Amino acid sequence: MSFAQHIIYIIASILFFGIWILPKPIQQLLAIIVYFIVANIIRYRRKVIVNNLKNSFPGKNEKEIRQITRKYYLHLTYMIIEVINLRYSSRKRIAKSTNVETPEILQDMLKKKRNVLLVLGHYGNWEFGSSRVHDFGYRGAAIYKKLTSEAFELFYQKMRINMGVEPVEMRHTLRKLVAMRNSGEPFALLSVADQTPTRSQIHYWLNFLNQDTGVFMGPEQLAKKFDMPVLYTEIDRLGFCKFNIKLKIITENPTKEPDYAIINTFYKLLEESINKKPEIWMWSHRRWKHKRPADYSDPTKNNKH
C-alpha cells in the first residue's frame, strides 16, 4: 500500500470508528443528513437513476419515479452507515439485526453435507447476506471485485473477515474453491450475481426489468463444476440496520439442469424481489451500458440438454 493510501486508510478508520460508537438513532440521523446532501445538492447520478427506473418501469408515471428515486437515495445513505457497522460490530450484534426466515434450508443442506452457492442481487444490503452463514456451521466465502483504492480494499477485506467470511477475489475463485472442497469443511460461497460484465464477457442475454441484459454465466458454471445447490438469497430491508434474509432453492442438482436455467431463474426471482420493493436495488449503477448485438442468437432455442 502506498504512503498516501495508508494515510487515507488511517483517517477513514478513525472517522468510521467514530461513527460506529454513536447510538443507532444518531447514526440514522447522520444518514438522513447525508441523504439530503446526496439527493438534493450533489444529486448523485440522478440522470442514471431516473433513466434506469423509467426504462425498467414504463408503466409508472413521473410522480412514482420521483418517489422511488427519493427512497433509493435514503436506502443508499443507510447502506454507507450499515457497512461501517458491519466492519466494527460483533457477530452477535449483527445477528440481532438480521432475521433468517428460512433457516431450515441451510440446516438441511448441512445435514446432507452439501456445499452451497448463495446467489444475491444488489438488493437490500447484500453485505448482510454473508453475516449469518457462520451461524449455521458453514465456512463462508464471498466473491468480490478488487477495488481500485487500496485503502478501501483493505477496509472491505477486514469488514468481511469480521463477519467470518473469507473474501475471494474473482480471478482466484476456481483455485479457492478447489482448496475449500479439498479441506472437507462445508462451505457456503456467496456471489452477487447481477454484476455488469464487460462486453467481451457477455455470452448470454436475457430480458430483465423490460430490458435486454447481458449477464455473467459464472455463478451457473461454478455451481455445475462443483455440484453446489444454488440458493437465491433475498435481503429485504425492514428498517435502518434491520434485514430479513429469505432463502429459496433454485436447484439442488445443478449438473442436471439445462444450460442457462439457473441464471434465468436467478434473474426471474431477483425481478420479483425488485418489483416488491424497487427502491432497495442498485439503480445508480450503469447496468445497461451494453446493447445486445443485432446478430445475437439465443442459445436456449437450440438447447438440447
Side-chain angles (χ1 to χ4, degrees):
M1 183 184 294
S2 68
F3 178 75
Q5 286 292 310
H6 187 68
I7 294 300
I8 291 172
Y9 176 76
I10 292 173
I11 293 172
S13 295
I14 294 171
L15 174 63
F16 293 160
F17 186 80
I19 292 172
W20 175 70
I21 62 176
L22 296 173
K24 279 285 175 61
I26 303 301
Q27 288 185 5
Q28 186 173 6
L29 177 60
L30 177 61
I32 292 170
I33 293 170
V34 175
Y35 152 75
F36 179 82
I37 295 170
V38 171
N40 299 292
I41 299 175
I42 299 175
R43 294 169 68 86
Y44 173 72
R45 290 192 174 184
R46 191 175 185 87
K47 288 183 179 179
V48 174
I49 296 166
V50 171
N51 187 59
N52 282 340
L53 285 168
K54 285 182 175 179
N55 290 336
S56 298
F57 303 111
K60 293 189 182 296
N61 58 38
E62 292 287 339
K63 182 180 179 181
E64 291 171 312
I65 296 297
R66 285 197 302 271
Q67 288 175 340
I68 296 172
T69 301
R70 285 197 299 270
K71 290 179 180 179
Y72 170 68
Y73 275 126
L74 182 60
H75 163 68
L76 190 63
T77 54
Y78 274 4
M79 283 182 60
I80 296 170
I81 309 299
E82 288 164 350
V83 165
I84 293 171
N85 277 281
L86 288 176
R87 166 64 182 91
Y88 296 106
S89 296
S90 67
R91 293 180 198 171
K92 184 176 181 181
R93 184 176 177 182
I94 294 169
K96 289 180 179 179
S97 67
T98 55
N99 173 62
V100 181
E101 185 177 332
T102 48
E104 66 279 358
I105 293 177
L106 275 179
Q107 291 164 348
D108 183 55
M109 293 297 173
L110 189 62
K111 286 179 182 177
K112 294 177 181 177
K113 300 182 179 180
R114 301 293 303 276
N115 300 319
V116 295
L117 175 63
L118 277 62
V119 286
L120 309 86
H122 285 94
Y123 183 81
N125 191 331
W126 53 93
E127 297 292 353
F128 275 81
S130 57
S131 66
R132 298 295 304 278
V133 168
H134 191 269
D135 297 343
F136 290 89
Y138 276 104
R139 174 184 178 183
I143 302 172
Y144 79 102
K145 283 185 177 181
K146 190 172 183 177
L147 301 177
T148 54
S149 167
E150 292 177 304
F152 286 99
E153 168 75 6
L154 181 58
F155 175 84
Y156 270 91
Q157 283 194 16
K158 289 193 173 184
M159 178 197 73
R160 289 172 179 131
I161 291 170
N162 182 56
M163 293 187 292
V165 175
E166 297 176 55
V168 180
E169 193 181 340
M170 189 175 287
R171 60 179 175 167
H172 299 146
T173 302
L174 283 176
R175 184 172 62 189
K176 186 65 177 179
L177 282 179
V178 170
M180 288 194 297
R181 182 183 61 186
N182 292 343
S183 75
E185 184 180 359
F187 66 85
L189 179 69
L190 293 99
S191 173
V192 180
D194 60 345
Q195 303 274 3
T196 303
T198 61
R199 184 175 291 279
S200 63
Q201 292 172 322
I202 301 176
H203 303 292
Y204 182 57
W205 293 79
L206 48 74
N207 185 275
F208 171 61
L209 292 171
N210 295 302
Q211 298 170 82
D212 282 335
T213 306
V215 301
F216 270 123
M217 289 301 299
E220 178 173 313
Q221 292 165 351
L222 288 174
K224 291 191 173 193
K225 185 175 182 65
F226 292 90
D227 192 26
M228 294 182 288
V230 184
L231 310 180
Y232 174 66
T233 309
E234 180 187 87
I235 316 294
D236 184 22
R237 178 179 292 286
L238 303 179
F240 176 64
C241 280
K242 293 181 181 179
F243 294 90
N244 183 67
I245 301 175
K246 185 176 181 180
L247 302 171
K248 186 171 184 178
I249 299 172
I250 292 179
T251 179
E252 284 195 58
N253 300 292
T255 58
K256 296 181 181 179
E257 295 291 336
D259 291 340
Y260 311 102
I262 293 172
I263 205 71
N264 278 327
T265 302
F266 163 73
Y267 272 96
K268 178 177 178 292
L269 292 170
L270 177 58
E271 188 171 281
E272 289 175 359
S273 296
I274 294 169
N275 283 325
K276 286 189 297 184
K277 199 175 288 186
E279 65 271 17
I280 63 172
W281 191 63
M282 186 59 76
W283 296 104
S284 52
H285 186 54
R286 292 184 175 89
R287 183 64 184 85
W288 291 280
K289 59 186 176 182
H290 302 305
K291 301 300 179 184
R292 182 165 68 169
D295 60 350
Y296 173 76
S297 178
D298 186 347
T300 61
K301 292 181 179 178
N302 300 313
N303 195 339
K304 299 184 184 300
H305 298 285

